Structures are given as structure tokens and as C-alpha cells.
Amino acid sequence: MSVGRIAVELAVAELGGVQDKRVLILGAGEMSELTMKYLVAHNVSVVMVSNRSLDKASLLADRYGFEAHPIANLEPCLQKADVVFSATAAQTYMIDRALVERVMRARPARPLLFVDMAVPRDVDPAVEELAGVSVYNINELRDEADRNRLKRAAAEKAVRQLIETEVADFRRWAHSLEFAPVIAAFRQHAEQIKQARLEVAFERMSGLTASQKKQVRVLATTITDEFVHEPIESLNAQAGSPKSKDYARMLQELFALEPALAGRRDGAEAAGDAGAGNAAGKRGAR
């Protein structure tokens, strides 16, 4: 949203990064300082600050360990620079076509990018006609800021819906914790049946190899998990509803379950795993 940030991001995109580029900041006001902060965030290594007041230029440059130059040295600074960020309060062009023509003759093989953030403009529009020179002005930066505002507004509705969905999922999971003892007892009941039937099966099929027994155990575990999954999912789906306690009591009575406080932790983990799995599945689908 910030013009200073957009200016730096534009230069980064145009130049493929600024870490190895020489940057000239023309002006030492608030906009120049904001631009400096964004450049530092992009690991820029060489920055020159030039201003009509050398004291102000030095104050800004020293704050970040960079160079300060008097405005009289503008032409040599331009000869060194790869990109220029300009934000002065001058009422006339600080950089005109004749100046840039001389600069480009001294560095014919290197392009030069100007990002003019000043109002009125610091860079003469005629500069853009020169070979190897690119110029972005405040109007283009503001247009980009406006596009970003529109994108943000468009995204807001989707973001709010995403948050509301996740909050609802969390609330259902939190409510499902009250069923933890019942779920733990139900799982334990199914596990006991599985283990008992496996013992009987292995006694009757004493000739099974270790590998075959393992396959039988995997099959029994799969069947048990499938059996308990749907009732637990249905119970969790009712979490927080007026019928939730009725569903829990019905499951308890149908299978003669005896939930105990000692099983609360295991049940909470089971309910938590189910809730987390549901949430992860929905996020993956999105």
C-alpha cells in the first residue's frame, strides 16, 4: 500500500533484485527514509544519499551506514547508480534530459532506472526517450497502490469466510471433548472384541506363519477401525447441538459402555485426532 514500498518492489522486479546494485536516493525526507528501510530489507549493499542539505543527507545515510553526497556531486553519483529513487520538494526538475544524456555517454553499456516519487516530478519526462533509460513516476506508483487496494478488498470476503469456517471447526472440536470418555470406552470395547476373536482364530489356525498372522491382525484392525469410525464421526458432528447428549447416551446404552474419568485423556486424543483430520481435509480441499 505504501508508495515507498511499491517503488522498491518495482525496482526489484525490474532489476531482478537490488542486492548487487548501486542505489541513489535523491532527497532526505520522510519518503526517502521509508524507501531506505525497504531497501535495507532487500539487503541492498551500496546506497548513496544526495540532498540540497548535506547535513540532512548525512543524517539519513549515517543512520544506515551508507554514503552522503552534496547535490553538486549529482552527476558523478548518477554515473555510478543502477537505480535512482527521487523524492525531493523541488519545484523544478532535478534531473533533466541534458544531464542524463551526459551520464549515459559515460556509461553506455549500463541501463539506468529512475523511480520518481516526487510531486511535482523530479525527473523530466523527456528522459525516458533516451536509450537504456527507464522512468516510473508517482502516477504509476499510485495506480499500483490502487490496484493493491482493490485486490485486498476483493480478498477480504474470502478471508473472513475462511476464518469463520475454521472457528466453527474449532468450536465443534472443543464441544466434542465432552464425549471423550464415551469415545474412549467405545474404542476400548471394539479393541477387546478384536483381541478376543484374534486369540480364538489363532488357536484354530495354529499352522499360520508369522507373516500370515500379521496380515490377519492388519485385517482385523482395519475392520475394527472402520466399524468405530462412523459412529464416532456422527457423534462429533453433533457436538454442541441440543441432541448431542442424547447421541452419546444412546451409544453408551447400545454397547453397554462404562465410560470412566480415567479414559478422558485417551478419548480427548481420539476426538482431537478426528477433529484435526476433518480440518486438515478441508484445508487440503481448499
Side-chain angles (χ1 to χ4, degrees), residues 54-74:
L54 183 58
D55 289 341
K56 288 185 177 180
S58 297
L59 187 65
L60 177 58
D62 291 347
R63 196 171 299 160
Y64 297 93
F66 295 129
E67 307 171 9
H69 296 268
I71 203 70
N73 289 349
L74 178 57

Side-chain angles (χ1 to χ4, degrees), residues 34-199:
L34 286 173
T35 303
M36 180 87 79
K37 289 180 179 178
Y38 293 126
L39 286 168
V40 170
H42 280 278
N43 300 315
V44 68
S45 56
V46 179
V47 176
M48 301 169 283
V49 181
S50 184
N51 191 61
R52 291 186 186 278
S53 168
L54 183 58
D55 289 341
K56 288 185 177 180
S58 297
L59 187 65
L60 177 58
D62 291 347
R63 196 171 299 160
Y64 297 93
F66 295 129
E67 307 171 9
H69 296 268
I71 203 70
N73 289 349
L74 178 57
E75 188 166 338
C77 289
L78 287 172
Q79 291 177 4
K80 298 176 184 177
D82 297 298
V83 55
V84 180
F85 295 93
S86 185
T88 77
Q91 297 303 303
T92 58
Y93 296 137
M94 295 291 294
I95 300 173
D96 59 25
R97 179 176 177 132
L99 171 60
V100 179
E101 283 179 336
R102 293 195 303 273
V103 167
M104 296 308 290
R105 280 197 295 269
R107 42 171 296 166
R110 292 172 50 221
L112 181 57
L113 171 64
F114 289 95
V115 183
D116 188 354
M117 300 177 286
V119 179
R121 296 182 186 180
D122 280 337
V123 182
D124 183 350
V127 167
E128 193 170 7
E129 299 171 2
L130 300 175
V133 178
S134 301
V135 181
Y136 290 93
N137 60 55
I138 187 64
N139 292 332
E140 292 168 307
L141 300 178
R142 285 175 174 169
D143 287 345
E144 182 64 22
D146 290 340
R147 284 192 289 270
N148 289 347
R149 288 188 183 91
L150 291 175
K151 290 177 184 177
R152 183 174 293 188
E156 181 181 358
K157 183 176 180 180
V159 171
R160 288 185 180 277
Q161 182 61 48
L162 176 61
I163 292 171
E164 290 170 3
T165 300
E166 295 295 337
V167 169
D169 286 346
F170 176 78
R171 285 177 176 164
R172 279 192 292 272
W173 171 81
H175 283 303
S176 72
L177 294 181
E178 65 180 297
F179 308 137
V182 175
I183 291 175
F186 184 46
R187 285 187 178 279
Q188 185 178 13
H189 176 70
E191 184 66 21
Q192 288 172 345
I193 294 174
K194 181 190 79 172
Q195 293 298 337
R197 295 307 174 194
L198 281 175
E199 290 177 8

Side-chain angles (χ1 to χ4, degrees), residues 6-53:
I6 291 171
V8 172
E9 295 292 344
L10 185 152
V12 169
E14 185 82 7
L15 301 173
V18 292
Q19 296 93 330
D20 59 343
K21 306 300 180 184
R22 293 183 177 89
V23 176
L24 170 61
I25 294 181
L26 189 55
E30 181 179 353
M31 182 66 73
S32 295
E33 182 165 9
L34 286 173
T35 303
M36 180 87 79
K37 289 180 179 178
Y38 293 126
L39 286 168
V40 170
H42 280 278
N43 300 315
V44 68
S45 56
V46 179
V47 176
M48 301 169 283
V49 181
S50 184
N51 191 61
R52 291 186 186 278
S53 168

Side-chain angles (χ1 to χ4, degrees), residues 166 169 273-286:
E166 295 295 337
D169 286 346
D273 289 344
N278 290 340
K282 291 178 180 179
R283 281 192 292 270
R286 283 194 290 272

